[in-house]
Amino acid sequence: MLTLWTRVVQAAFIFLTTESIGVLLDPCGHISPESPVVQLGSNFTAVCVLKEKCMDNFAVNADNIFWKTNHAIVPKEQYTVINRTASSVTFRDVSSLNTQLTCNIYAFGQIEQNVYGITIISGLPPEKPKNLNCIVNEEKNMMCQWDPGRKTYLETNYTLKSEWATEKFADCKAQRDTPNSCTLDYSPVYFVNIEVWVEAENALGNITSDHINFDPIDKVKPNPPHNLSVRSSEELSSILKLAWINPSIKSFLRLKYSIQYRTKDASTWSQIPPEDTSSTRSSFTVQDLKPFTEYVFRIRCMKEDGKGFWSDWSEEASGITYEARPSKEPSFWYKIDPSHTHGYRPVKLIWKTLPPFEANGKILDYEVTLTRWKSHFQNYRVNDTKLTVNLTNDRYIATLTARNLVGRSDASVLTIPACDFRAVHPVMDLKAFPKDNKLWVEWTAPTESVNKYILEWCVLSDKSPCIPDWQQEDGTVHLTYLRGNLMESKCYLITVTPVYADGPGSPESVRAYLKQAAPSKGPTVRTKKVGKNEAVLEWDQLPVDVQNGFIRNYTILYKTAFGNETAVNVDSSHTEYTLSSLTSDTLYMVRMAAYTDEGGMYGPDFTFTTPKFAQGEIEAIVVPVCLAFLLTTLLGVLFCFNKRDLIKKHIWPNVPDPSKSHIAQWSPHTPLRHNFNSKDQMYSDGNFTDVSVVEIEVNDKKPFPEDLKSMDLFKKEKNSTEGHSSGIGGSSCMSSSRPSISSGDENESGQNTLSTVQYSTVVHSGYRHQVPPVQVFSRSESTQPLLDSEERPEDLQLDNVDSGDGVLPRQQYFKQNCSQHETSQDISHFERPKQVSSVNEEDFVRLKQQQISDHISQSCGSEQMKMFQEISTAAVFGPGTEGEVERFETVEMEAAIDEGMPKSYLPQTVRQGGYVPQ
């Protein structure tokens, strides 16, 4: 531990000492070579030698040396220990240009210590300079240039050396930024040869170029001619005269010239033949130029024998040739307005302005001549390029000439056919295509002789009309390009019309684009019909303004919400497509793209959902089901109709008709059979039906009250009619059955069996609205149990009618609520018709007894019901009853009922026209 601290303190001391002094005053060793320059690709060896003093101080030797290049340790395989103080390192195939190499040791075996460091510089030796050449600029010193060869990556010096045969001149050292040229400091001497060469030198070697020997006069580059001027000639419109001033070297040197010219708008130059300008001069006349055309000229010169260099070009000068008669007739065409008025037709004559190289001057005006077939002619002078005239339906010959200051052009002739002319013989195989940023048109000429062709074109658009432009071509042309300001991505309608001697032929048209592009927007797709497994998609053709090219095909992409996208290509001529193999009840997303030769564009996304059932599928299910249901219902109805007796027996029991009961025998004045079918005989003043059913629990221990002895009448009547009556068992208000009066001994009160009870009805109106002609007493002989509806009678109110001296009171009966101890009391009235059949006194007695029994039956259990009845005997029996009204009071009977009168049933009220037996 102490040894480690000692080493740390020593290292700190060395570090502090080094930092305070700035450098290591006494290094522990050195590296040889000190500043090496190594050729790229060669081997290099460095040796580090340690000093004895350092070896003793730090307890190290050559075995403790290690090497670094750019702070990276060199592998020990490249080390060689020469002795205890020296170690070497060898590098093979040096490729780095500048490398930092350091020699290092581990002081005290632990601390890294730098001993010495050097920089290895790598590069290449210079190559031999080539292509040495010199030029003598007029009024300047000589300058020489050469090719220095490859890059050396080292500082290389180039020196230009020159000498005469007897004298050497000062060297010219090239600048570092221009190592391939150098300008001599002295003026050359003409007509004396001089020798020139170049030397190249750097740290890895030096080399000399080839020597050249020449006369400086042969390396001269003259100054360009100056003050160039151009003049036109009034005598000839095709020439221009040039004049200039030669350079000063002309005094002792013969020159030759190079003259170039071009029109003002052209980009390429034309050359005057060299043989015409091979001698010294100061002017020249340029011929074969176009009249009234502006030309631009330039000139240069050099030594006449061709040795030396061309001078720079002079400043440009321009001039315009003089005017000449127009060299070509104008392009001439016409348009006929389809409207005709009074035998005339508007004809618009149009022509093109002559280009400058054909106009040969400024066009002053145009002269138009119209000659009717075999008739007089008309002349028009026009300053415009169109003329509208009204012509008859006959054939006309139109001529056009252009006039400038010198003269008139040749006449352009045009035949305007008669109104009944039929154009024939169109061009064939018409096609248009872009090439070299021009729109070319090609066709096959007709078999007939053609004077000229008229090409018309316009931009097709859905927003603006087609405004045509046109040009004229000779009859021998079958390939040309449209000379107009054409735009890219626009559809052009091109029409070619051949023009014959007797008139124009049939036009032919074709569409073309100068340059296509992708559509501006895609098609909008929609569904025309959607089925369970297919969908018919339809779309509109894209407007021509957004097509930007010929639509080659459509691509339909469709997918479900979570499915893969499917692509379908459709021909451009179609506007609908059927997607098949779709899944029912599924949402589909569709998008569609239109493609030109330059790309495509997608339209907006569209969604649709396939139905769950196909068209007619629901009907195919519902209709058979409905038919089956209808058939089943029909069969059920037929079955019920055939089994109606059986069904009626179980569902609607047969209720006997009371009109057929033997109770009718009670009235001796009533015939056995009555007609209850006539509805016309209903009483208009009201109907009354009273049903009294009495069930008595007989107790021999308690005698009947005095007032109830009259009930014996019912017993006797029962015995007399036992063979014709029937009874019913049961109880009112859903109570349990009780013993009833039977046809046996009246003292057999202990009998608990149920026997028949006679019940009767006094029918004043017909059964179920049947109207009997007279008052009828009927008795039922049915043993059928009462129906539920018959146990729930409703109150019947009878209208009051006038009878004799007074109004019959209305009698109303109330159904007893046996489950309660209190009953409602009311006074009921009934009315009798004014006209009643004669009734004997016996019938009255029976009716009175019956009413008494009705009041008795209103009591249930211990409770009593008080009821007052007022019956007008005069109203019931007519005048024979002396008009007395007998009032029945049941107050005295209540005591007897309380003492032990058996329970009875309340009388029930029946609807008009019927009865409800109890």
Side-chain angles (χ1 to χ4, degrees):
M1 186 69 181
L2 181 60
T3 304
L4 178 60
W5 279 107
T6 303
R7 291 176 180 177
V8 170
V9 170
Q10 291 175 349
F13 173 77
I14 295 172
F15 175 76
L16 292 174
T17 303
T18 303
E19 290 294 327
S20 62
I21 298 176
V23 294
L24 195 60
L25 297 179
D26 189 12
C28 290
H30 67 277
I31 298 175
S32 179
E34 185 80 18
S35 299
V37 177
V38 183
Q39 184 174 345
L40 289 173
S42 63
N43 298 334
F44 171 72
T45 299
V47 179
C48 181
V49 180
L50 297 178
K51 294 181 179 181
E52 291 290 344
K53 182 179 180 181
C54 289
M55 293 173 60
D56 296 338
N57 292 336
F58 298 111
V60 295
N61 55 30
D63 293 333
N64 299 109
I65 295 176
F66 61 94
W67 299 84
K68 285 186 177 181
T69 57
N70 296 333
H71 307 289
I73 298 177
V74 179
K76 291 185 177 182
E77 291 79 7
Q78 299 177 224
Y79 301 171
T80 301
V81 178
I82 300 175
N83 52 39
R84 61 182 297 271
T85 62
S87 176
S88 65
V89 64
T90 301
F91 299 95
R92 301 184 183 278
D93 190 13
V94 177
S95 59
S96 299
L97 298 179
N98 295 304
T99 304
Q100 301 293 328
L101 179 63
T102 59
C103 175
N104 308 274
I105 60 173
Y106 284 111
F108 307 106
Q110 294 291 334
I111 302 172
E112 181 179 327
Q113 177 66 45
N114 178 263
V115 176
Y116 205 81
I118 62 173
T119 299
I120 303 174
I121 299 174
S122 304
L124 296 172
E127 284 187 330
K128 180 181 179 179
K130 296 175 291 185
N131 301 326
L132 177 60
N133 194 13
C134 297
I135 181 173
V136 179
N137 291 304
E138 184 181 355
E139 300 177 352
K140 293 181 181 180
N141 296 336
M142 183 174 68
M143 182 188 69
C144 295
Q145 294 177 326
W146 61 88
D147 181 7
R150 68 187 178 188
K151 190 175 182 180
T152 62
Y153 304 105
L154 300 174
E155 183 179 351
T156 304
N157 298 320
Y158 294 90
T159 304
L160 178 64
K161 296 181 175 294
S162 61
E163 66 180 9
W164 283 345
T166 60
E167 182 180 359
K168 288 185 178 180
F169 300 102
D171 294 340
C172 179
K173 294 185 178 296
Q175 302 295 325
R176 287 189 178 183
D177 55 345
T178 57
N180 61 338
S181 65
C182 189
T183 302
L184 296 175
D185 294 336
Y186 60 92
S187 297
V189 178
Y190 296 124
F191 307 111
V192 177
N193 287 349
I194 187 173
E195 187 175 356
V196 179
W197 70 94
V198 177
E199 290 183 359
E201 181 182 10
N202 65 11
L204 297 177
N206 59 67
I207 193 169
T208 302
S209 69
D210 294 335
H211 291 228
I212 60 173
N213 194 301
F214 57 90
D215 184 353
I217 195 67
D218 295 332
K219 300 295 182 178
V220 170
K221 179 182 179 181
N223 290 329
H226 55 280
N227 294 341
L228 177 63
S229 62
V230 181
R231 293 186 300 108
S232 61
S233 173
E234 295 183 2
E235 293 81 9
L236 296 173
S237 59
S238 60
I239 65 171
L240 287 174
K241 294 179 179 181
L242 305 181
W244 64 87
I245 298 175
N246 287 309
S248 59
I249 200 173
K250 170 183 172 291
S251 58
F252 59 89
L253 189 68
R254 296 188 61 84
L255 301 174
K256 67 177 181 179
Y257 305 92
S258 173
I259 301 175
Q260 291 183 343
Y261 67 96
R262 62 177 175 83
T263 59
K264 183 178 181 180
D265 298 329
S267 58
T268 58
W269 295 87
S270 299
Q271 180 73 43
I272 300 295
E275 58 272 14
D276 296 340
T277 57
S278 60
S279 59
T280 303
R281 62 178 65 203
S282 60
S283 63
F284 186 80
T285 300
V286 182
Q287 301 178 5
D288 298 329
L289 301 178
K290 296 179 180 178
F292 201 68
T293 303
E294 184 177 2
Y295 288 90
V296 179
F297 297 88
R298 65 183 181 179
I299 188 173
R300 64 181 178 174
C301 63
M302 71 175 301
K303 188 179 177 185
E304 186 179 34
D305 58 4
K307 294 179 180 181
F309 301 91
W310 284 103
S311 69
D312 295 332
W313 288 104
S314 67
E315 294 182 356
E316 295 179 356
S318 62
I320 301 175
T321 56
Y322 199 72
E323 292 188 28
R325 175 178 172 269
S327 59
K328 191 176 181 181
E329 69 275 5
S331 299
F332 196 23
W333 189 231
Y334 72 94
K335 291 289 184 181
I336 299 179
D337 195 323
S339 62
H340 293 252
T341 56
H342 306 292
Y344 287 87
R345 47 181 174 161
V347 178
K348 183 178 181 180
L349 301 174
I350 54 177
W351 55 88
K352 289 284 188 179
T353 302
L354 289 172
F357 63 90
E358 293 178 350
N360 296 335
K362 182 179 180 181
I363 299 299
L364 302 178
D365 56 39
Y366 298 92
E367 183 176 358
V368 179
T369 302
L370 289 173
T371 304
R372 189 176 177 181
W373 183 248
K374 297 180 179 180
S375 181
H376 63 280
F377 60 87
Q378 299 175 352
N379 286 337
Y380 301 90
R381 287 188 179 272
V382 184
N383 293 325
D384 201 354
T385 57
K386 60 182 180 294
L387 174 65
T388 302
V389 293
N390 287 327
L391 303 180
T392 63
N393 295 331
D394 298 327
R395 177 184 176 187
Y396 283 81
I397 303 296
T399 60
L400 173 67
T401 59
R403 184 178 67 90
N404 63 9
L405 189 61
V406 178
R408 293 186 177 277
S409 66
D410 295 337
S412 179
V413 181
L414 184 65
T415 300
I416 303 175
C419 186
D420 56 353
F421 177 79
R422 294 293 178 266
V424 292
H425 308 302
V427 298
M428 296 173 290
D429 303 328
L430 178 62
K431 57 184 178 181
F433 55 91
K435 181 181 178 182
D436 299 332
N437 204 29
K438 296 179 180 178
L439 191 55
W440 294 80
V441 184
E442 185 178 12
W443 64 89
T444 301
T447 56
E448 287 73 15
S449 177
V450 179
N451 292 345
K452 60 182 178 182
Y453 294 97
I454 299 296
L455 280 73
E456 298 175 282
W457 67 90
C458 66
V459 177
L460 290 180
S461 174
D462 298 322
K463 301 178 182 178
S464 59
C466 184
I467 302 175
D469 195 0
W470 63 282
Q471 70 187 45
Q472 178 179 302
E473 298 293 340
D474 293 337
T476 58
V477 175
H478 60 86
L479 174 65
T480 186
Y481 66 91
L482 301 182
R483 295 184 292 273
N485 296 323
L486 303 183
M487 296 178 290
E488 297 179 355
S489 306
K490 296 296 183 180
C491 182
Y492 287 93
L493 179 64
I494 305 171
T495 303
V496 178
T497 304
V499 179
Y500 302 99
D502 57 347
S506 298
E508 284 291 325
S509 299
V510 67
R511 296 187 179 189
Y513 286 86
L514 177 63
K515 186 177 181 180
Q516 299 187 53
S520 301
K521 69 175 186 178
T524 301
V525 66
R526 57 185 179 274
T527 54
K528 180 179 180 181
K529 179 182 179 183
V530 179
K532 178 181 179 182
N533 300 114
E534 64 180 14
V536 179
L537 304 180
E538 65 175 357
W539 60 92
D540 297 327
Q541 292 283 357
L542 288 178
V544 67
D545 294 304
V546 302
Q547 290 183 7
N548 299 337
F550 293 112
I551 302 299
R552 302 303 183 186
N553 67 281
Y554 297 102
T555 298
I556 301 175
L557 300 177
Y558 65 97
K559 67 174 183 178
T560 59
F562 303 102
N564 296 327
E565 198 168 48
T566 304
V568 178
N569 291 327
V570 183
D571 189 77
S572 60
S573 61
H574 296 167
T575 56
E576 67 177 43
Y577 183 80
T578 301
L579 300 178
S580 58
S581 302
L582 302 181
T583 305
S584 62
D585 194 20
T586 304
L587 176 68
Y588 281 89
M589 291 173 284
V590 182
R591 57 178 181 153
M592 186 175 182
Y595 283 88
T596 64
D597 294 337
E598 298 297 326
M601 176 62 69
Y602 281 95
D605 292 348
F606 175 76
T607 59
F608 68 90
T609 303
T610 54
K612 189 173 184 179
F613 300 99
Q615 185 178 4
E617 190 172 355
I618 297 178
E619 292 82 352
I621 297 174
V622 173
V623 170
V625 170
C626 293
L627 291 178
F629 178 77
L630 183 61
L631 181 60
T632 303
T633 304
L634 182 60
L635 292 176
V637 171
L638 293 177
F639 176 79
C640 293
F641 182 78
N642 292 332
K643 301 295 183 179
R644 61 185 181 277
D645 296 335
L646 182 61
I647 295 173
K648 182 177 180 181
K649 178 179 179 182
H650 289 84
I651 298 178
W652 299 289
N654 187 18
V655 178
D657 187 357
S659 64
K660 298 179 181 180
S661 174
H662 292 287
I663 197 172
Q665 297 175 1
W666 290 5
S667 177
H669 302 287
T670 303
L672 297 177
R673 295 292 181 180
H674 307 283
N675 183 14
F676 293 101
N677 295 327
S678 176
K679 295 182 179 181
D680 297 334
Q681 299 177 9
M682 294 180 62
Y683 293 98
S684 59
D685 295 334
N687 300 324
F688 170 75
T689 300
D690 186 9
V691 178
S692 297
V693 179
V694 179
E695 183 175 353
I696 302 173
E697 294 181 0
V698 181
N699 191 347
D700 54 0
K701 294 180 181 182
K702 292 182 180 182
F704 286 99
E706 187 68 21
D707 295 337
L708 296 178
K709 290 181 180 182
S710 61
M711 293 296 297
D712 185 59
L713 176 63
F714 287 96
K715 179 178 178 181
K716 294 178 180 181
E717 185 66 21
K718 170 184 176 299
N719 293 331
S720 63
T721 60
E722 183 178 0
H724 305 283
S725 307
S726 63
I728 61 174
S731 62
S732 178
C733 299
M734 305 302 293
S735 63
S736 60
S737 60
R738 296 178 179 86
S740 304
I741 298 175
S742 64
S743 61
D745 190 1
E746 64 180 350
N747 294 324
E748 296 177 358
S749 62
Q751 184 180 357
N752 294 326
T753 59
L754 190 66
S755 61
T756 60
V757 177
Q758 295 179 354
Y759 65 95
S760 62
T761 180
V762 179
V763 181
H764 187 70
S765 62
Y767 168 67
R768 294 187 179 179
H769 304 289
Q770 298 176 1
V771 180
V774 295
Q775 183 175 359
V776 178
F777 296 91
S778 298
R779 182 178 63 185
S780 173
E781 57 181 2
S782 173
T783 60
Q784 177 68 34
L786 297 180
L787 300 180
D788 182 66
S789 61
E790 295 172 329
E791 290 186 345
R792 299 177 182 178
E794 298 178 355
D795 298 338
L796 177 64
Q797 296 181 355
L798 301 177
D799 296 332
N800 294 328
V801 293
D802 296 332
S803 176
D805 298 336
V807 178
L808 288 175
R810 184 177 55 185
Q811 182 176 1
Q812 182 175 4
Y813 295 90
F814 295 88
K815 181 179 178 180
Q816 176 181 342
N817 187 350
C818 299
S819 63
Q820 300 177 356
H821 296 285
E822 295 180 5
T823 57
S824 300
Q825 296 182 1
D826 193 6
I827 299 176
S828 301
H829 305 277
F830 66 92
E831 297 180 1
R832 286 279 299 172
K834 294 180 180 181
Q835 302 295 330
V836 183
S837 303
S838 61
V839 182
N840 56 19
E841 185 177 356
E842 184 181 358
D843 293 334
F844 171 74
V845 173
R846 291 178 181 177
L847 179 59
K848 184 175 182 180
Q849 293 175 351
Q850 176 69 26
Q851 292 177 348
I852 294 173
S853 66
D854 291 342
H855 286 288
I856 295 173
S857 65
Q858 293 293 327
S859 175
C860 181
S862 63
E863 295 292 328
Q864 296 180 359
M865 181 177 182
K866 296 179 180 181
M867 181 171 291
F868 298 92
Q869 295 181 345
E870 295 179 3
I871 304 174
S872 175
T873 56
V876 175
F877 295 100
T881 61
E882 298 177 357
E884 297 181 357
V885 176
E886 184 174 351
R887 185 181 304 271
F888 295 91
E889 297 180 359
T890 61
V891 177
E892 297 178 359
M893 292 185 229
E894 294 177 357
I897 296 174
D898 292 338
E899 293 176 357
M901 179 64 64
K903 298 179 180 180
S904 63
Y905 293 92
L906 291 176
Q908 302 294 322
T909 304
V910 183
R911 297 178 182 272
Q912 279 188 332
Y915 78 99
V916 179
Q918 183 92 16

